Every structure is written in structure tokens, then in C-alpha cells.
Amino acid sequence: AGPGHPTAGWWSDLVGPGAAIDTDRFFVVAPNMLGGCQGSTGPASIAPDGYEWASRFPYLTIRDQVAAQALLADRLGIGSWHAVVGGSMGGMHAIEWAVGHPDRVERAAILSAPPITTADQIALNSVQMDTVRVDPRFAGGEYYDAGDGDGPHRGLALARRMALLNYRSPTELNSRFQRSWQSGVSPLGRGGRFAVESYLDFHGNKFTRRFDANSYLTLVEAMNSHDVGRDRDGVEDALGRVTATTLVLGIDSDRLFPIDGQHRIARGVPRTLDGDSAVVLSSDFGHDGFLIETAAVAAHLRRLLAS
């Protein structure tokens, strides 16, 4: 937690003195993503003409973002990394680092990430993107000077609610909320709501206070671009280029990036910690399990970093 970021980050249990990623031993570099809205250049950044990039911001791929990170490493004078660690979209970056820059990555941790973004995942993403674009306040992406400071918050909140359903599992939602009401007013008539509806609303609205709609579209499109085998003779040939000792980890209840994708990575990478199979954590939390089951994730990261 700090100025501009009122709550602590997800990684506090994994990164720090004595933690799995031990800052008493390692210098940790955590670059913001190109195209994001909290540090690196993104659609809300000011272009050379003095106006926001907005809809003019270029299409980015995962490979473009890793190319920017490689330039950062050059600037910092880092020839190779002891480890590149990432989960979900960050896991796409980690695998792209290991395939595209094998001489610069000694170890890689790929957590809950796929080798490619599938048609099913692209379809889910496309609905989220259209939800943002149909908000009248989106204005084709040119909403920064609207004057009301609102922007397409309703569309962005709804897109986030849709995404959250992919991040969590049916088991967790059903056991956590069941058919409970949010208040004493029945949801079977007018005015009442189910507790799970309120939960989704809360997280959707919270997201709009810290994120930019154009960045959301830019980053979702980058995830859609992900195909580690593109222009590399396919996924298996691409994975065969990896020389890093690799940890591949997935969650058994992940419905966003199902475990078969992690197993495919593990089969294709020559040097994994666990042979031809990914490490599979059992969790009711779905895709977000890699962020929540920190003790189990930490144990496997310690194995990797000690290898």
C-alpha cells in the first residue's frame, strides 16, 4: 500500500525478506506493462502532440510487451535473469521471455498461463471488449476530455464482472454465496438482490476507480494475440527452444486457462522441475487460486529458485 495504490499488492506473501522470492538474496524488477495505466506508456499517456493517445494507441502483442521489457533489461545492464516469474498474463510474458530470449533466462516460472489463447478464450474476451465499446460514454475511445470525469465506467464495470466469473470457480461461488440475499429484501420481487450479484457489482465498481477503459481493451487484445508458436513453426517447436529450468504450475479448477494448457507447456519444455506434467494445485478458487494459495505457490517457487 502507498500513494496512488491504497491496498497492498497480491504478491506480498511471496516477495520480500525471507519470502520465496527473497529480497535479501535477489533484486526484484517488476515492470508495469506497456499499454497499462499505472506507470508505463498507455492510451491515457500524453502523445507528442500534447493530447492523450486514446484510440490512436497502437495494437500491442505479448511479444511487443516482452520486447519492451528486454529493452528495460538492457538499460539496467542485466544480461540474463536468475528467474522470470509470472502468473496469468504475466505467465504469458514469462513463457515468451523463455522462448524468445533463451540465453537471457536461467529459470522461468509459468503460473496459470497457456501456450496460446484459444478460440474459446478469445470469444469470452470479445464480449468483454464489446461491453466497454457499447457504453455511450466510451465515445470511440475519445472520452478523456468529456468534462464529467466519468468515462465508460458502466461498460468497464460490467466487463470486469464478466471477467471475474472466469477468475473464480462454480464451487467457490456456490459454497460462498449459495442463494443468500444481500439484504432482508427478497430478490424474488422488486428491489432485492442475491448476495453474489452484490459481490460482482462491488468488484466491478472498484475496478473502475483504478483502471482505464482504453488500457483494458489494449491489454485484452494483447492477451488475444498470445501464441508462443506464431512464426516459430508451432507451439511445440517454440517450447523446444527453452533452455531455462522451468516451473509450470496450474490450478485444477481454473476455467479461464484450464490445466491442459499448462500440461502442454510442461511436455514441450526440455527442462522442467517435474517432468512432462505441470504442478497441479487443488483449489476451489479457480484461476485466482495462483494468487490465493500463496503457501503452496511459495513452496514450488522455492524449489525453482534453489535449483
Side-chain angles (χ1 to χ4, degrees):
H5 192 51
T7 58
W10 282 106
W11 295 98
S12 299
D13 292 337
L14 295 177
V15 182
I21 301 176
D22 187 353
T23 51
D24 289 335
R25 294 182 58 206
F26 302 119
F27 187 91
V28 178
V29 179
N32 200 314
M33 259 184 267
L34 186 65
C37 55
Q38 293 187 15
S40 298
T41 304
S45 301
I46 302 301
D49 62 3
Y51 297 93
E52 292 88 353
W53 284 103
S55 62
R56 300 175 295 162
F57 195 78
Y59 179 89
L60 293 177
T61 67
I62 295 294
R63 206 168 293 179
D64 293 329
Q65 292 169 330
V66 169
Q69 294 168 4
L71 291 172
L72 171 63
D74 294 342
R75 181 64 62 90
L76 295 174
I78 298 171
S80 66
W81 298 100
H82 185 76
V84 174
V85 179
S88 192
M89 190 176 185
M92 297 178 182
H93 291 144
I95 192 173
E96 186 62 40
W97 260 105
V99 169
H101 305 274
D103 57 327
R104 304 188 71 171
V105 182
E106 297 175 14
R107 294 163 187 79
I110 301 163
L111 314 176
S112 298
I116 61 171
T117 300
T118 65
D120 178 62
Q121 292 152 5
I122 292 170
L124 295 169
N125 287 341
S126 72
V127 178
Q128 293 175 43
M129 290 191 290
D130 282 348
T131 300
V132 175
R133 291 176 176 137
V134 299
D135 187 321
R137 294 179 181 271
F138 181 63
E142 304 297 328
Y143 52 82
Y144 296 109
D145 295 325
D148 54 16
D150 194 13
H153 286 183
R154 292 185 65 185
L156 182 59
L158 182 54
R160 181 64 171 181
R161 290 171 64 190
M162 296 166 64
L164 193 64
L165 293 176
N166 296 323
Y167 300 156
R168 299 300 179 114
S169 76
T171 300
E172 188 221 354
L173 294 176
N174 290 337
S175 62
R176 181 174 177 180
F177 297 103
Q178 300 182 29
R179 291 182 55 81
S180 60
W181 303 355
Q182 179 59 25
S183 68
V185 181
S186 170
L188 304 184
R190 294 181 178 178
R193 308 191 76 211
F194 288 104
V196 69
E197 294 177 288
S198 180
Y199 168 78
L200 293 175
D201 268 356
F202 171 79
H203 283 282
N205 293 331
K206 179 182 177 183
F207 185 72
T208 65
R209 294 193 292 272
R210 65 179 177 86
F211 219 81
D212 174 64
N214 279 325
S215 276
Y216 191 87
L217 298 178
T218 297
L219 299 185
V220 171
E221 286 179 331
M223 283 193 288
N224 284 350
S225 80
H226 177 56
D227 176 0
V228 76
R230 187 178 68 253
D231 301 325
R232 292 169 175 156
D233 299 319
V235 169
E236 276 62 41
D237 279 2
L239 294 174
R241 301 182 184 190
V242 176
T243 58
T245 301
T246 305
L247 166 67
V248 187
L249 181 147
I251 307 295
D252 62 355
S253 57
D254 191 338
R255 57 179 173 179
L256 177 61
F257 298 136
I259 194 65
D260 61 321
Q262 284 93 66
H263 284 316
R264 186 179 183 186
I265 296 170
R267 287 194 302 269
V269 171
R271 296 176 57 198
T272 66
L273 285 182
D274 300 276
D276 291 340
S277 297
V279 172
V280 181
L281 299 186
S282 180
S283 173
D284 289 342
F285 292 109
H287 181 67
D288 275 356
F290 84 94
L291 297 167
I292 296 171
E293 308 287 359
T294 51
V297 173
H300 292 292
L301 286 176
R302 288 184 188 276
R303 288 198 302 132
L304 175 70
L305 297 177
S307 64

